[in-house]
Amino acid sequence: KGDPPAGGPNVVKMRGLPYRVTERDIEDFFGRGYDLRGVHISSGHDGRPNGEAWATFGSTDDATRALQEKNRASIGSRYVELFASH
């Protein structure tokens, strides 16, 4: 999975994800209304997911709208916090 993307106005950090979250889960979380270009799920030193991810959008507008519309929305039983990553 490598390093997370460099921060920027079109990158959103996600925190509070279920440990078993997949890229598909994150794609479904944002839905078809966003130009989602990539997802990076972070792992701890042991190689297991740590509940954080970065979503890269095709535009700053999509990233800003995601922050406004999806912050504290749920994936499963977990609510997800979103942060600007710049």
Side-chain angles (χ1 to χ4, degrees), residues 39-55:
V39 173
H40 171 84
I41 299 172
S42 183
S43 299
H45 296 295
D46 60 2
R48 295 169 45 192
N50 65 4
E52 294 184 348
W54 284 261

Side-chain angles (χ1 to χ4, degrees), residues 1-85:
K1 306 254 178 176
D3 294 324
N10 63 332
V11 178
V12 172
K13 181 179 180 180
M14 307 175 74
R15 184 172 70 189
L17 294 165
Y19 293 121
R20 295 183 183 268
V21 75
T22 65
E23 289 183 21
R24 180 58 185 241
D25 294 333
I26 293 172
E27 292 167 0
D28 290 346
F29 173 76
F30 288 111
R32 295 184 182 267
Y34 296 90
D35 182 13
L36 184 62
R37 298 284 177 97
V39 173
H40 171 84
I41 299 172
S42 183
S43 299
H45 296 295
D46 60 2
R48 295 169 45 192
N50 65 4
E52 294 184 348
W54 284 261
T56 303
F57 294 90
S59 70
T60 301
D61 288 343
D62 269 356
T64 300
R65 191 164 52 87
L67 287 166
Q68 294 169 347
E69 296 177 355
K70 295 294 190 171
N71 187 37
R72 297 193 175 239
S74 294
I75 294 181
S77 62
R78 305 282 309 249
Y79 77 87
V80 178
E81 295 177 293
L82 303 181
F83 303 91
S85 181

